[in-house]
Amino acid sequence: FFFCTKVMADVVLYYASVSGTAKTKKDTQSLRWLLEKKSCAFDEVDVARDPMARGTIKKNSGTAALPQLYVNGKYIGGYEKCQELEEEDLLSDVLDGEDPPQ
């Protein structure tokens, strides 16, 4: 197992408990599973219950699409981006706080 605890990166998953689409729900669950598979500790913020968080992530990422993953306050992406990083063997480093490749 890989543990993303070298530098104790602050990993936060933003999602909505009330979601309009099946894809958003599936992506949220898939991203949770991916983080759990990496044995990564992460916090979750439900933007349906926290409108300020929704505004903040939209401002930081430029999109209101969910889910969104942040590491040390930096926007990483949604499920598809995280899965892409995993397939390139880069997700573990990103979860440890390294900058994702551009």
Side-chain angles (χ1 to χ4, degrees):
F1 285 104
F2 173 83
F3 294 92
C4 64
T5 54
K6 273 193 309 198
V7 293
M8 293 300 289
D10 181 29
V11 180
V12 182
L13 171 63
Y14 289 88
Y15 74 102
S17 58
V18 181
S19 170
T21 69
K23 181 183 182 327
T24 299
K25 290 176 186 171
K26 181 178 181 293
D27 284 356
T28 299
Q29 190 55 43
S30 296
L31 186 48
R32 271 191 197 109
W33 179 82
L34 185 58
L35 292 171
E36 289 167 2
K37 184 178 95 167
K38 303 301 280 180
S39 298
C40 180
F42 61 96
D43 292 320
E44 295 188 36
V45 176
D46 181 359
V47 299
R49 296 176 187 220
D50 188 345
M52 279 185 62
R54 179 179 282 276
T56 299
I57 64 169
K58 185 174 182 181
K59 187 174 95 176
N60 290 342
S61 68
T63 180
L66 294 167
Q68 291 189 20
L69 187 72
Y70 285 76
V71 177
N72 292 335
K74 186 176 294 186
Y75 174 62
I76 303 303
Y79 168 68
E80 290 172 5
K81 177 62 177 179
C82 292
Q83 182 60 42
E84 183 181 299
L85 290 168
E86 174 66 359
E87 290 169 6
E88 295 170 1
D89 285 328
L90 298 170
L91 184 59
S92 296
D93 293 335
V94 170
L95 292 173
D96 269 340
E98 293 185 21
D99 287 337
Q102 296 302 323

